[in-house]
Amino acid sequence: MTRRARLTDAGIMRLKPGSKDYTVWDTVTPGLGVRVRTPGFRGYVFHQRGQGSSRRVSLGPVTLKAVQDARRECLSFQLDEIEGGASIGTMPGTCMPLFRDYVTDPWMAGHSSRWKPSTLRLVRSHLRCQLLPAFGHLRLDRITRAGVQAWFDRRSVEAPGNANKGLALLRRILNHAVSGGLISVNPAGRTRMNPRPRLTRFLSAEEIIRLHEALDQCVAERPAWERQADVLRLLLHTGCRKSEIKDLQWSEVDGDTLRLADSKTGSRTVYLSAEARAVIDRQRRGDGPFVFPSPVNPGRPYGDSLPLWHRVRERAGLSGVRLHDTRHTYASQAVMHGVPLPVVARLLGHRKLQMTMRYAHVGDREVVAAAERVGAAISRALDDPG
């Protein structure tokens, strides 16, 4: 049922979110409404009607303008149409939203409810640190290909990987604006991302031994490091991401498996080797839910910081090796021991096999050894034709 009311600033602020999005239409200005999203966001919309066509336009959040300002904006839009200043395919400047307003609604309001908290934090960080300072003050139709390229080049000098993530987010937002008919072309569509470095670093068998020996030495010197050491061992023995082990709860431990409720790619099952199971078995179970609780607050997981990693890495002579390379090592060892890539993908929790390919490189020594085996097999076939 269509909801109508005389919109007032106080009345708008009293509108409560429901189980689904809804719009309250103004009885004073035809076409003006307030869209109330399920997360609680409220934004002005204007329903534009033209020659046999119609389109709904976002006018920004209600917190940034009074209802009278929104009415004047709608009136300007209607006058422009009457005077022939705009057609159904071209929005006048007064109703073309600023990038910052469009991001707030409809883009952010329409997407954020489907994201995980970690994804939402990441998106907000990229918006706050990269996109809003560069484009927030511009109307969508004033964002140009040259402007996007200039911004991307500046960002790439400082942090090429972060610039790629910002560009990917900008493309998604502007593609949404293209789909909504606000702009005809995505100005970020042709900007080429910075090439990503190949992930070729993984630990050899000898380096794995050195790493474990360094862990044992550090724990012997300072027993308080044992919990950090076990986190590091479990990362290497499972190929899990740091957050999956750091936030691991006892309720997710099920015999020889970990049934992770909420990994990066959703719920997944991790199969434990005997060594990985032994690491979990020796953890002391307290009152809290976490396998590796914070030493300060047992009700919280272990902190993001694992300072022991830097000490162990230097002692083992592995300078420059990243903690995430333990996951890379797990995948590479699996491939080198003949585990098929689809199986490796399941072990790592990858949805797409292409992601597994990034981790499953083999070193030059393995390539040379494989070439020798193939050459020897061909030689034997030639010497003994049958």
Side-chain angles (χ1 to χ4, degrees), residues 179-286:
S179 299
L182 291 173
I183 55 177
S184 58
V185 178
N186 186 338
R190 293 191 180 182
T191 301
R192 297 183 61 180
M193 288 193 176
N194 298 307
R196 299 181 62 173
R198 289 175 61 88
L199 299 177
T200 57
R201 185 63 171 105
F202 59 90
L203 303 181
S204 66
E206 188 269 334
E207 288 175 327
I208 292 173
I209 294 172
R210 294 207 317 260
L211 177 62
H212 278 282
E213 289 176 345
L215 284 168
D216 291 340
Q217 292 170 7
C218 287
V219 172
E221 294 170 4
R222 188 174 175 182
W225 282 334
E226 183 175 7
R227 181 169 293 162
Q228 281 192 61
D230 280 346
V231 171
L232 297 176
R233 288 190 177 99
L234 203 54
L235 288 173
L236 186 60
H237 284 305
T238 62
C240 285
R241 302 174 180 90
K242 182 178 75 168
S243 61
E244 294 170 342
I245 298 302
K246 178 183 68 68
D247 298 335
L248 181 64
Q249 300 191 33
W250 285 111
S251 60
E252 297 174 313
V253 179
D254 182 14
D256 292 332
T257 60
L258 304 179
R259 302 193 183 279
L260 303 180
D262 189 23
S263 70
K264 182 178 180 180
T265 54
S267 60
R268 76 181 185 99
T269 299
V270 177
Y271 299 91
L272 301 175
S273 64
E275 294 81 1
R277 179 71 218 193
V279 172
I280 292 179
D281 286 343
R282 63 173 173 258
Q283 303 309 309
R284 295 180 295 276
R285 188 160 187 168

Side-chain angles (χ1 to χ4, degrees), residues 41-332:
F41 175 85
R42 297 179 292 268
Y44 292 111
V45 293
F46 179 64
H47 195 183
Q48 171 197 2
R49 291 180 174 85
Q51 301 170 348
S53 302
S54 65
R55 178 168 55 195
R56 189 171 297 180
V57 178
S58 171
L59 302 181
V62 299
T63 54
L64 296 182
K65 67 183 72 173
V67 67
Q68 288 291 21
D69 296 328
R71 287 192 177 111
R72 280 193 291 270
E73 210 168 325
C74 294
L75 180 60
S76 297
F77 189 15
Q78 292 165 341
L79 289 174
D80 283 343
E81 283 196 331
I82 292 172
E83 296 170 1
S87 67
I88 195 67
T90 304
M91 293 184 57
T94 54
C95 286
M96 177 66 73
L98 298 178
F99 179 79
R100 62 171 176 256
D101 293 338
Y102 184 78
V103 165
T104 304
D105 180 48
W107 190 79
M108 195 77 165
H111 290 75
S112 58
S113 60
R114 302 195 297 268
W115 292 332
K116 294 181 179 180
S118 58
T119 302
L120 183 58
R121 287 194 298 271
L122 188 62
V123 168
R124 284 175 172 167
S125 175
H126 286 307
L127 288 171
R128 182 179 65 254
C129 300
Q130 296 198 70
L131 301 185
L132 291 181
F135 305 106
H137 63 290
L138 296 175
R139 287 179 359 205
L140 289 178
D141 59 346
R142 296 296 176 87
I143 299 175
T144 64
R145 185 178 300 167
V148 171
Q149 187 66 58
W151 161 79
F152 184 70
D153 290 343
R154 290 194 302 271
R155 290 292 303 170
S156 297
V157 172
E158 304 169 3
N162 216 33
N164 281 351
K165 294 175 182 178
L167 178 61
L169 180 59
L170 180 62
R171 283 177 177 171
R172 290 174 60 190
I173 295 171
L174 296 179
N175 276 337
H176 190 269
V178 171
S179 299
L182 291 173
I183 55 177
S184 58
V185 178
N186 186 338
R190 293 191 180 182
T191 301
R192 297 183 61 180
M193 288 193 176
N194 298 307
R196 299 181 62 173
R198 289 175 61 88
L199 299 177
T200 57
R201 185 63 171 105
F202 59 90
L203 303 181
S204 66
E206 188 269 334
E207 288 175 327
I208 292 173
I209 294 172
R210 294 207 317 260
L211 177 62
H212 278 282
E213 289 176 345
L215 284 168
D216 291 340
Q217 292 170 7
C218 287
V219 172
E221 294 170 4
R222 188 174 175 182
W225 282 334
E226 183 175 7
R227 181 169 293 162
Q228 281 192 61
D230 280 346
V231 171
L232 297 176
R233 288 190 177 99
L234 203 54
L235 288 173
L236 186 60
H237 284 305
T238 62
C240 285
R241 302 174 180 90
K242 182 178 75 168
S243 61
E244 294 170 342
I245 298 302
K246 178 183 68 68
D247 298 335
L248 181 64
Q249 300 191 33
W250 285 111
S251 60
E252 297 174 313
V253 179
D254 182 14
D256 292 332
T257 60
L258 304 179
R259 302 193 183 279
L260 303 180
D262 189 23
S263 70
K264 182 178 180 180
T265 54
S267 60
R268 76 181 185 99
T269 299
V270 177
Y271 299 91
L272 301 175
S273 64
E275 294 81 1
R277 179 71 218 193
V279 172
I280 292 179
D281 286 343
R282 63 173 173 258
Q283 303 309 309
R284 295 180 295 276
R285 188 160 187 168
D287 297 331
F290 297 101
V291 177
F292 299 101
S294 164
V296 178
N297 182 358
R300 297 180 62 84
Y302 205 90
D304 285 333
S305 176
L306 291 170
L308 179 61
W309 168 250
H310 301 286
R311 181 183 293 268
V312 168
R313 183 182 66 178
E314 298 305 318
R315 179 170 292 193
L318 301 175
S319 179
V321 175
R322 305 167 306 161
L323 184 59
H324 195 70
D325 289 331
T326 58
R327 180 170 166 86
H328 191 192
T329 297
Y330 181 87
S332 299

Side-chain angles (χ1 to χ4, degrees), residues 10-21:
I12 289 171
M13 300 311 294
R14 287 195 296 268
L15 295 176
K16 303 296 183 184
S19 59
K20 58 182 180 180
D21 297 350

